[in-house]
Each structure stands twice: as C-alpha cells, then as structure tokens.
Amino acid sequence: MPARPAAPSRPVGTVTRGTTNPNRLRRMDRWIAAAHGPALRRSLLHPTAVDLGYGAAPWTAVELLERLRTVRKDVHVYGVEIDPERVAAARPYERDGLAFVRGGFELPVGGVTRGGSRGLSLIRAANVLRQYPEADVAPAWARLCARLAPDGLLVEGTCDEIGRRHVWVALGPEGPRTVTFAARLATLDAPSDLAERLPKALIHRNVPGEPVHAFLRDFDRAWAAASPYGALGARQRWIRAAQALSADWPLADDPRRRRQGELTVHWHALAPRGAAAPN
C-alpha cells in the first residue's frame, strides 16, 4: 500500500454528513477513466490519486482504485477524511495501492507541485463542497489545484444518493475547465432535473440572468424538440438534444460519451457572473 503520511495537527475543513453508497460515483469514475486515462498512462512515476471526503464508509475510495487500475495498474489512491473515526473504520480495507489518512483540504499526501515536485495526478472531491458556503468554493479550488501535477485533474461535484444524476466541474492546475452533466437517462424527465445536483459553484446561480440557467433552459427546449427520438430510446433523444444544443453552446466532450448519458460544456460558458464567482 502507499506510504501513510503523518496526519496534520489541524486539518483544513469541517466534518460533513458523510453519506455514501456503493457505486454512487460510478458515472464520475467512468468519465475520469475515459477523460484522464491518457494522462495517467503517460505518467513516468506511480500516479497518485486522492478521494477527498469519502464519507462514513470507504466504498468510493475502494472503487476508485479498482476503476483507475483498469487504466494504470500501479496507481496509488489515498482516501482522505477529516473525521478520525471514519479513518479508523476504513483502515481494515487498506490494500496494495490504497491507504486512508486523516486530513482536509490541505491534503496531507504526495508532493507540492508548485515547488517543483511531482504533485497529484487526480483529486476527486464528490459531495464535499456542496455542504460549504459558496464563498468557500474559490479558495478550496485554488488550494486543491495548487497540489496538482502539471497534467493533473481535480474533479469536484455532486450526485444523488444512488448515483443516477451527477454534475461535476473538471479543473486543471490553472483552474476550471469544463462542467459535465450525467444521468441514468431512463430516470430523466428533463435535463433541468439535474439542476438540484449542480455543484456549489453553480447551484445558487440557477436563476434568470445567469449562464447556467440559460443553458438548462435551452437544454430542456432541445430535449422537448427531440421527443420524437424517444421512440428509439432515451439515449437517442439525449444525443439529438445535444446535437441541437451544440449550435449555441460550446460543448467540450467527445460525442461518443453522450451515449453514456453525459454532456460536457466549457466552463467559461457557464461561469457565474460577478466578481465573487470562481473563475
């Protein structure tokens, strides 16, 4: 297993609810493996990934290791939790390539990339910042992005309790890049159903005058116009709606990913307006 660093005396952050379920993050993990797989394979050193705020049970960290190892066999994963009791409960699940440590946004693992060391290949923070004030998002993003390797990735977002609906932001060392909407399409009445799973940076901005509100409005209209394709299945309806949406919005995904119930948009198109917004 990866070496366990010393726990910080005062982890940065607060204890969150910690609710979790097996396979809750499978959609996010599939996207990470597809989108970030080439960078993981190129790494000359053992790639190091972090599951930040894995919650009251270690399932998501265990699953992250298993899914990343389909891409890179020597990846190391650290599950990081601020609650010492959760860390103690997760320790029996440690194995080769997987360790659990106490910590918060300071991430007491790996090297600090801005000083010239390798940095982290991946940080996944799911359902964590959703429980913080909006004003805490930009500082948390900056702190986490500073820990990334030059080709590292931060994925931060929110999903429902059983992993049917997700929205996440992907960030590189320079900051936010894209927003991905993902759903089990058979359960989706309209794309705007995903609004309740917007990450903290966007959820309070789903109001008239904000880009994310306009995007979801247009997505609903495209979905309604594509209703005849529903006879061929929800997947075909989603694909056709995305094609229509691409005329007005800068989609960033490989169209083949849309068959998985995903749609990715460049961050700049949805970024909140106003000086207080993350950028």
Side-chain angles (χ1 to χ4, degrees):
M1 69 182 64
R4 184 182 298 118
S9 57
R10 290 185 179 180
V12 177
T14 58
V15 177
T16 55
R17 289 190 297 273
T19 54
T20 189
N21 284 299
N23 272 327
R24 186 180 186 187
L25 302 182
R26 63 192 179 277
R27 298 179 191 281
M28 186 182 287
D29 287 351
R30 284 201 310 249
W31 182 89
I32 289 171
H36 197 45
L40 293 173
R41 286 188 285 267
R42 286 194 303 266
S43 177
L44 299 178
L45 300 172
H46 296 297
T48 300
V50 170
D51 183 13
L52 176 61
Y54 58 84
W59 318 135
T60 60
V62 173
E63 291 164 355
L64 181 62
L65 175 69
E66 293 172 348
R67 288 161 182 160
L68 291 182
R69 285 203 161 176
T70 65
V71 175
R72 180 72 184 251
K73 296 296 186 183
D74 60 347
V75 67
H76 291 169
V77 172
Y78 288 97
V80 177
E81 250 296 340
I82 201 168
D83 184 342
E85 293 184 1
R86 294 175 184 173
V87 176
R91 290 269 165 83
Y93 295 88
E94 291 186 333
R95 62 187 72 175
D96 178 44
L98 177 64
F100 295 93
V101 298
R102 183 178 180 233
F105 292 113
E106 80 289 348
L107 295 184
V109 300
V112 180
T113 183
R114 299 297 165 84
S117 52
R118 59 185 261 190
L120 298 168
S121 300
L122 171 70
I123 304 168
R124 187 188 65 186
N127 306 300
V128 175
L129 282 172
R130 178 68 178 268
Q131 301 177 58
Y132 283 75
E134 184 182 3
D136 291 350
V137 172
W141 279 4
R143 181 185 284 269
L144 295 175
C145 287
R147 298 298 312 280
L148 293 172
D151 60 352
L153 187 72
L154 164 63
V155 181
E156 187 272 306
T158 304
C159 68
D160 68 359
E161 288 75 11
I162 57 175
R164 296 170 303 176
R165 298 174 183 178
H166 292 242
V167 186
W168 61 79
V169 182
L171 305 93
E174 78 287 356
R177 295 173 176 173
T178 60
V179 184
T180 297
F181 299 80
R184 183 173 183 270
L185 297 179
T187 69
L188 198 68
D189 291 329
S192 59
D193 290 349
L194 290 164
E196 64 183 13
R197 299 301 166 185
L198 288 168
K200 179 59 75 169
L202 294 173
I203 192 164
H204 299 304
R205 306 304 180 116
N206 186 26
V207 294
E210 288 284 351
V212 70
H213 182 271
F215 173 79
L216 289 172
R217 177 203 63 204
D218 288 356
F219 203 173
D220 275 357
R221 289 174 177 171
W223 177 258
S227 61
Y229 291 95
L232 303 176
R235 177 183 293 175
Q236 289 302 316
R237 186 178 182 182
W238 178 270
I239 290 170
R240 294 293 177 168
Q243 289 175 349
L245 202 60
S246 68
D248 299 307
W249 294 90
L251 305 188
D253 54 347
D254 181 335
R256 291 173 294 184
R257 297 300 304 171
R258 297 171 195 167
R259 295 183 60 82
Q260 307 300 321
E262 299 169 5
L263 185 73
T264 299
V265 190
H266 283 290
W267 167 258
H268 67 78
L270 303 186
R273 293 176 176 167
N279 52 45

